[in-house]
Amino acid sequence: MVKLGKTNLDSGWIAARSTEIHLDGIQLTTTHPPSLSSNSSNWIEAVVPGTVLGALLKNKQIPDPFYGLENDAIIDIADCGRDYYTFWFFTTFKCAKSANQHVNLNFRAINYSAEVYLNGHKKILPKGMFRRHSLDITDILHPDGNNLLAVLVHPPDHPGTIPPEGGQGGDHEIGKDVAAQYVEGWDWMTPIRDRNTGIWDEVSISVTGPVKLTNPHLVSSFFDNYTRVYLHSTVELENRSARIAECSLNIQVSTELEGNMFLIEHHQTSNLSIPPGAHIDYTLPQLFFYKPNLWWPNGMGKQSLYNVEITVEDKGFGESDSWSQHFGFRKIESSIDNATGGRLFKVNGQPIFIRGGNWILSDGLLRLSKERYETDIKFHTDMNFNMIRCWGGGLAERPEFYHYCDIYGLLVWQEFWITGDCDGRGVPVSNPDGPLDHGLFLICARDTVKLLRNHPSLALWVGGNEQTPPDDINKALKNDLKLHPLFKFPTDTSNSLKSFDDPSKYLDGTRDYIQGSMWDGFANGKGDFTDGPYEIQNPVDFFKDDFYNYGFNPEVGSVGIPVAATIRATMPEAGWKIPLFKKLPDGYIEEVENPIWKYHKYIPYSNPKKGVSDQIELYGLPKDLDDFCEKAQLVNYIQYRALLEGWTSRMWTKYTGVLIWKTQNPWTGLRGQFYDHLHDQTAGFYGCRSAAEPIHVQLNLATYFIEVVNTTADELIDVAVEASVWDLDGTCPYYKVTDNISVPAKTTQTTIEMKYPKTKNVKPVYFLLLKLFKWSNKAILSRNFYWLHLPGGNYKLLEPYRKKQVPLKIISDVMIRGSTYKINMTLQNRSKTTNMENVRYRNHLSTTEDLDMGESFSEEKRKTGLLHRVFRNFSKPSNEGSKVVETNGMDSGVAFFLRFCVHSTKKNMKEGEDTRILPVHYSDNYFSMVPGEKLTVTISFKVPPGVTPSVTLLGWNYEEAHSVY
């Protein structure tokens, strides 16, 4: 008997252009199976899951569309026709079914339609990018177990053309199909030439007994202030035999503890009979839990997950099918807030101030992987974000994406495939009626709901981006996704489960459906274009009353140039030229970028029309690419920290949340990102990380009052704020410690005014260090470092500051497990200041080390019950002991804008090769240290085979990299 369960078909695929293959699918899967061995073969190695372009790139048959202007060298489907990107995909697999077993061939998604041939038998996969397909292949498997599979994949029906001027969604024709709309290009991306044609998601075979189990729906309901909790479950069961199936349906819920130990919370069996050939929905008796561990979003608590396993046994066969998934007990509510007009989210009854970002997709060629997804999601939680919005022109994200959102605590706003640009506006004006086939859209939408609904991170369904779906689709979605009464009204003890249908019988019923991204508590709530803006801003403006007038902004964006190494790695030398700085008659500066930067959608760091001086030029005209990119990182940090601090300053009084447009680019773009496509972070990443701390101290740039932010559910007591000003000479002319204060839960509280700019002998450029600390033990709760200039001034005095040589001591403590490194870097600014004795508390206030930062072992973390483990199972390197490095320097002052980077030291390096090891998780980067201060930064990363890593430290006044490991 063949083992029951699922086997992925993710290797051994080959592909060929259909016009170059003169055989049909029956021949390919019977008498003429293809191979790569023939010299005249038109077949190439394929990427499955993947796309046609991905396969062509893997085989170097096209240039890299993410490099320089190379995408223009790839023929577009509008110019060559759909047949050019219609491809055969072929593989073989072994499977021979035993008596009473059934086998299905599963495609979790293809784009856009396909013909499937297996051992000479033909099946048709219908259209639609976002739907699952499952084919019963039991009777067409080859008796010897060797099976030939060929799939002919057709591109979208309406791939469209790309107008010379580009635009949002090209000519909008792609909007006629149920497909991702970004593929015709946008103001942040060039067109994808094959429109993502391919088998872009998982392919598998699944073996079951006579009874098949599909689409379980898990729902938790809460009573008595979350102490009484019920788990509801409904499953679909299909009896594929010709007899009545006498079945037992088992559900087991377990908690994961340390190691491989599990605690079984519940095990329950239900008996049922299924008529021959019947397909039924069966609702299991609910399970009762007393005070289960709840799932919380990032910053609010632990992401507790339980393992739910459901199996069906056929008494005439044995175990027939099974399903398992991690499940989090949590309740998500949202409503329009009376005070602000913004949508207010609550999780487990607690209001949550939303600070997050917009997401397109991980990779424009759909090179999706668990490893890349994990890095992407971990980066978002590293920034202290709590929500990610899956934009309507992108994907219905994959279960792997949601798996890591579950683990790391990111709430997800998932949109369906409607965007205003392709569905009702734009130039030319697009079709407001959405896709041509409304029934197909609803099939894909309902199947997507079933695919994703059990994930605790999924918080909201939204009809589309800056547009609502056509009336009939919108009405159907509202009905399909209506809330169950248990989730429509506040939880109280008077509610009885017996009063309602079981909530797991609903398609979803547990989350709100909002018709569009600017309706019902988002932007102005009426669908008018009141999101944005999308360009550089004066940092102080984010704090002003008139910056944004509505309670929740779903999109506000800005700049995002990466580091110079990324520019060099993704562009030819012509792309290394920095913008020309053209002075206008009104005194403002206009940046004129080179053509390659323009092609990669660069946003300038100046906006003369809006009265924003060039934020890079404030530091002095850049000399070269390295200088430009380093100054840009200073701007990135200030820009995004100010954005989030400005919103947080008005938490609950004016705003309920904000989502930044956008967190990353699915290709090598030069705007709106906190990390580039190669996975190196910009300084904006760490500006966000600082500003979005659950407990945070900040400077209101408009009022110059110091504010303390407490987004947690607990009152802050026994705390104080320390403010110290440092000048470029290394002295501390201003120092203030507040009295012992308390800050209520979910509150931004103003404390004292920062009076230094109003005192005598004020320096034109100065540093401000804020620390929020526990009064009793001096433990740091929040640390925030600013560089500031007087009103109307600039930062040009920082240019000669680069010559200051501030002495540092760096101690590296290295732990290794296999190919994974964790390094604790402890730094101390060893310079002295002439008035050190006046700084009463500072020497005692050093940050508490967060040893879980940079954690990237979610699978291991999952296996041990998501408990925090610190360096467990790691070993010291052979030269055990800490390495100490001291930098020379006799100057006193701030070690400014330091950053670590990790490189490989493998042999046979090519000249100009990008030696960075990416991704790397840092607990902090782009940080600064005042005299005497001591900080610890945790670094974690994996190294490729045969590579030895080295860690270097760079900084504003450390132009030469210091090797610290």
Side-chain angles (χ1 to χ4, degrees), residues 688-757:
C688 287
R689 178 180 175 82
S690 171
E693 291 176 308
I695 296 172
H696 181 62
V697 60
Q698 65 184 39
L699 177 68
N700 186 311
L701 296 180
T703 66
Y704 260 60
F705 274 83
I706 296 170
E707 300 169 338
V708 177
V709 179
N710 178 15
T711 66
T712 74
D714 299 316
E715 181 183 17
L716 278 180
I717 58 173
D718 184 42
V719 296
V721 174
E722 177 197 64
S724 58
V725 170
W726 299 84
D727 61 26
L728 300 185
D729 297 322
T731 61
C732 180
Y734 178 88
Y735 183 82
K736 179 72 174 178
V737 176
T738 68
D739 295 331
N740 190 326
I741 60 175
S742 60
V743 183
K746 312 288 184 182
T747 299
T748 297
Q749 182 168 296
T750 299
T751 59
I752 60 171
E753 183 179 7
M754 223 286 284
K755 294 183 177 181
Y756 174 73

Side-chain angles (χ1 to χ4, degrees), residues 271-289:
N271 297 314
L272 67 155
S273 299
I274 308 176
H279 189 148
I280 67 169
D281 292 342
Y282 183 80
T283 302
L284 289 79
Q286 68 262 12
L287 302 177
F288 171 70
F289 293 79

Side-chain angles (χ1 to χ4, degrees), residues 243-319:
R243 59 176 177 79
I244 296 174
E246 299 293 340
C247 298
S248 58
L249 192 63
N250 307 297
I251 183 170
Q252 179 174 292
V253 183
S254 58
T255 306
E256 301 178 21
L257 303 176
E258 285 286 344
N260 293 317
M261 295 179 61
F262 295 82
L263 174 64
I264 297 176
E265 299 268 357
H266 275 286
H267 183 94
Q268 180 178 274
T269 299
S270 303
N271 297 314
L272 67 155
S273 299
I274 308 176
H279 189 148
I280 67 169
D281 292 342
Y282 183 80
T283 302
L284 289 79
Q286 68 262 12
L287 302 177
F288 171 70
F289 293 79
Y290 180 71
K291 291 186 177 181
N293 296 322
L294 299 180
W295 183 93
W296 291 96
N298 186 35
M300 293 185 71
K302 293 182 179 180
Q303 291 74 54
S304 298
L305 294 170
Y306 291 75
N307 188 56
V308 179
E309 183 175 4
I310 301 175
T311 59
V312 57
E313 293 186 8
D314 181 342
K315 293 181 180 176
F317 177 83
E319 183 176 313

Side-chain angles (χ1 to χ4, degrees), residues 345-420:
F345 287 85
K346 290 183 178 180
V347 178
N348 303 330
Q350 291 290 333
I352 175 171
F353 188 68
I354 298 296
R355 293 174 293 187
N358 285 267
W359 167 271
I360 313 301
L361 69 161
S362 182
D363 178 76
L365 298 186
L366 301 185
R367 294 168 292 188
L368 310 178
S369 68
K370 290 181 179 179
E371 294 77 16
R372 188 172 183 93
Y373 271 138
E374 179 175 13
T375 297
D376 286 326
I377 300 309
K378 181 65 170 65
F379 274 177
H380 284 73
T381 55
D382 284 348
M383 288 186 282
N384 290 311
F385 285 173
N386 52 30
M387 178 175 278
I388 192 168
R389 173 195 173 205
C390 294
W391 174 75
L395 302 182
E397 266 301 353
R398 302 296 87 196
E400 290 78 14
F401 170 92
Y402 278 90
H403 167 74
Y404 291 114
C405 289
D406 294 344
I407 284 177
Y408 289 117
L410 268 180
L411 297 173
V412 184
W413 155 341
Q414 178 67 64
E415 285 180 4
F416 296 107
W417 318 284
I418 296 287
T419 65

Side-chain angles (χ1 to χ4, degrees), residues 454-699:
N454 293 318
H455 289 278
S457 56
L458 179 56
L460 189 71
W461 299 108
V462 177
N465 166 63
E466 298 179 339
Q467 185 81 343
T468 63
D471 288 345
D472 59 327
I473 293 178
N474 195 34
K475 182 178 179 180
L477 290 174
K478 284 182 177 178
N479 181 67
D480 288 346
L481 298 173
K482 64 180 180 290
L483 289 176
H484 186 277
L486 284 175
F487 301 89
K488 191 174 183 179
F489 305 108
T491 302
D492 61 60
T493 55
S494 65
N495 284 331
S496 169
L497 286 174
K498 296 180 180 179
S499 304
F500 308 113
D501 287 337
D502 191 289
S504 64
K505 293 181 179 180
Y506 277 48
L507 180 64
D508 186 336
T510 68
R511 309 166 173 89
D512 280 306
Y513 166 76
I514 305 298
Q515 58 186 334
S517 66
M518 298 190 299
W519 279 258
D520 304 319
F522 300 121
N524 77 346
K526 302 175 182 178
D528 300 316
F529 290 99
T530 46
D531 48 6
Y534 301 94
E535 59 274 317
I536 192 78
Q537 304 293 320
N538 290 310
V540 67
D541 290 347
F542 292 115
F543 293 85
K544 293 181 177 178
D545 290 338
D546 59 354
F547 181 73
Y548 189 72
N549 296 321
Y550 309 104
F552 194 120
N553 194 341
E555 297 183 14
V556 55
S558 192
V559 292
I561 197 80
V563 297
T566 293
I567 299 293
R568 293 191 176 97
T570 57
M571 295 181 185
E573 194 166 347
W576 303 355
K577 296 178 181 178
I578 64 175
L580 297 174
F581 285 71
K582 179 182 176 183
K583 194 164 186 177
L584 302 177
D586 59 7
Y588 286 100
I589 288 175
E590 179 182 52
E591 290 183 28
V592 183
E593 69 269 37
N594 72 60
I596 299 179
W597 283 28
K598 188 171 185 179
Y599 188 81
H600 284 255
K601 316 296 185 179
Y602 173 72
I603 289 184
Y605 281 71
S606 62
N607 191 343
K609 293 181 181 178
K610 298 291 180 68
V612 182
S613 299
D614 192 283
Q615 300 291 291
I616 289 178
E617 194 273 339
L618 289 178
Y619 297 88
L621 285 174
K623 301 182 291 290
D624 52 27
L625 180 64
D626 292 283
D627 192 28
F628 181 93
C629 289
E630 186 170 17
K631 288 173 178 173
Q633 299 316 312
L634 290 162
V635 181
N636 291 343
Y637 193 105
I638 290 176
Q639 182 78 180
Y640 287 108
R641 178 178 59 181
L643 189 160
L644 286 181
E645 288 184 341
W647 246 269
T648 308
S649 180
R650 304 297 184 86
M651 179 173 64
W652 312 130
T653 59
K654 186 177 182 182
Y655 302 126
T656 59
V658 61
L659 299 175
I660 298 174
W661 182 265
K662 48 193 178 14
T663 56
Q664 44 74 249
N665 281 302
W667 82 306
T668 48
L670 300 180
R671 62 165 61 192
Q673 61 186 353
F674 299 127
Y675 58 91
D676 59 45
H677 191 262
L678 304 181
H679 273 155
D680 201 355
Q681 301 99 328
T682 74
F685 183 107
Y686 297 96
C688 287
R689 178 180 175 82
S690 171
E693 291 176 308
I695 296 172
H696 181 62
V697 60
Q698 65 184 39
L699 177 68

Side-chain angles (χ1 to χ4, degrees), residues 11 121 142 164 182 187 230 336 350 404 448 456 551 561 581 724 766 797 810 818 892 963:
S11 62
H121 297 266
H142 202 278
Y182 74 91
D187 59 7
Y230 295 88
I336 297 177
Q350 291 290 333
Y404 291 114
T448 295
I561 197 80
F581 285 71
S724 58
Y766 58 95
L797 286 176
I810 306 109
S892 177
S963 176

Side-chain angles (χ1 to χ4, degrees), residues 94-273:
K94 289 187 175 294
C95 181
K97 64 112 180 177
S98 301
N100 294 324
Q101 284 188 329
H102 295 260
V103 182
N104 277 61
L105 173 63
N106 311 299
F107 296 84
R108 205 165 66 181
I110 57 99
N111 188 33
Y112 183 64
S113 59
E115 301 161 27
V116 177
Y117 296 85
L118 179 64
N119 301 330
H121 297 266
K122 179 180 180 180
K123 303 273 188 178
I124 299 293
L125 298 187
K127 299 174 182 179
M129 186 175 179
F130 303 109
R131 65 187 300 182
R132 292 172 293 174
H133 309 272
S134 187
L135 306 174
D136 189 341
I137 59 172
T138 305
D139 297 330
I140 57 177
L141 292 172
H142 202 278
D144 67 4
N146 296 309
N147 300 282
L148 308 179
L149 172 64
V151 185
L152 182 63
V153 181
H154 301 275
D157 292 344
H158 302 88
T161 59
I162 313 303
E165 66 275 11
Q168 313 293 74
D171 65 356
H172 318 305
E173 282 292 294
I174 195 70
K176 293 180 179 178
D177 296 332
V178 184
Q181 298 184 6
Y182 74 91
V183 292
E184 281 199 68
W186 226 263
D187 59 7
W188 39 263
M189 188 164 190
T190 54
I192 303 297
R193 300 307 188 186
D194 69 345
R195 307 299 189 262
N196 282 156
T197 301
I199 307 173
W200 68 276
D201 199 4
E202 178 185 278
V203 184
S204 66
I205 54 170
S206 55
V207 180
T208 71
V211 179
K212 182 182 179 184
L213 185 160
T214 56
N215 296 320
H217 187 200
L218 306 178
V219 175
S220 50
S221 61
F222 303 87
F223 301 91
D224 301 332
N225 195 28
Y226 298 89
T227 60
R228 186 162 56 98
V229 181
Y230 295 88
L231 177 64
H232 310 265
S233 50
T234 293
V235 299
E236 298 176 29
L237 297 167
E238 180 184 2
N239 179 6
R240 298 196 280 185
S241 71
R243 59 176 177 79
I244 296 174
E246 299 293 340
C247 298
S248 58
L249 192 63
N250 307 297
I251 183 170
Q252 179 174 292
V253 183
S254 58
T255 306
E256 301 178 21
L257 303 176
E258 285 286 344
N260 293 317
M261 295 179 61
F262 295 82
L263 174 64
I264 297 176
E265 299 268 357
H266 275 286
H267 183 94
Q268 180 178 274
T269 299
S270 303
N271 297 314
L272 67 155
S273 299

